[in-house]
Amino acid sequence: QVQLVESGGGVVHAGGSLRLSCAASGRTFGPYGMTWFRQAPGKEREFVATIHSEAGRTSTANSVKGRFTISRDNVKNTIYLQMKNLKPEDTALYYCAAKRGSSSIPVVKANAYDYWGQGTQVTVSS
């Protein structure tokens, strides 16, 4: 099994920045995609950004494009989400998810992922 642990959430004013981390451990062999999702109260879980373990290709949701950047550190088995110019609508519980395999296109559906972290809360005040 793969274990995922998110960290880095907090409370910031609009326009501020945060960097989220997701550390993976366990059976992390083979190609896999790692993805950030978020879920606000009363809303569905939505895709934020994804990165492939080997190819390094990334994809970012339109709602955060230009503000959020996903990256990885393969030595640490960790992915990051650099969040800049945060807005109140970014307030949500942010989850890290992993899916084994390789795809020519990003996988953005939450139900396609097998492994999830516990989430880290991001709150942006106006």
Side-chain angles (χ1 to χ4, degrees):
Q1 297 293 317
V2 175
Q3 293 81 47
L4 305 172
V5 179
E6 305 98 329
S7 62
V11 180
V12 297
H13 289 112
S17 299
L18 286 172
R19 190 177 76 157
L20 307 184
S21 299
C22 174
S25 61
R27 295 173 61 86
T28 58
F29 59 86
Y32 59 93
M34 294 185 68
T35 303
W36 289 99
F37 292 87
R38 67 184 183 184
Q39 188 166 24
K43 296 185 177 181
E44 295 183 350
R45 190 166 298 185
E46 67 173 341
F47 166 80
V48 177
T50 189
I51 188 168
H52 193 265
S53 63
E54 298 177 355
R57 60 179 180 267
T58 64
S59 183
T60 307
N62 186 63
S63 60
V64 303
K65 195 168 295 183
R67 299 187 297 117
F68 292 8
T69 302
I70 189 169
S71 61
R72 67 179 182 178
D73 184 332
N74 286 343
V75 175
K76 298 181 179 179
N77 289 320
T78 300
I79 64 165
Y80 305 93
L81 186 68
Q82 181 65 57
M83 311 164 68
K84 300 179 179 179
N85 191 24
L86 284 160
K87 303 176 180 180
E89 50 263 44
D90 295 318
T91 295
L93 188 63
Y94 283 70
Y95 294 95
C96 178
K99 177 185 182 298
R100 296 192 183 280
S102 181
S103 176
S104 61
I105 59 174
V107 179
V108 301
K109 296 293 186 179
N111 60 12
Y113 287 79
D114 297 314
Y115 307 104
W116 293 84
Q118 80 288 348
T120 185
Q121 178 68 38
V122 172
T123 301
V124 184
S125 62
S126 60

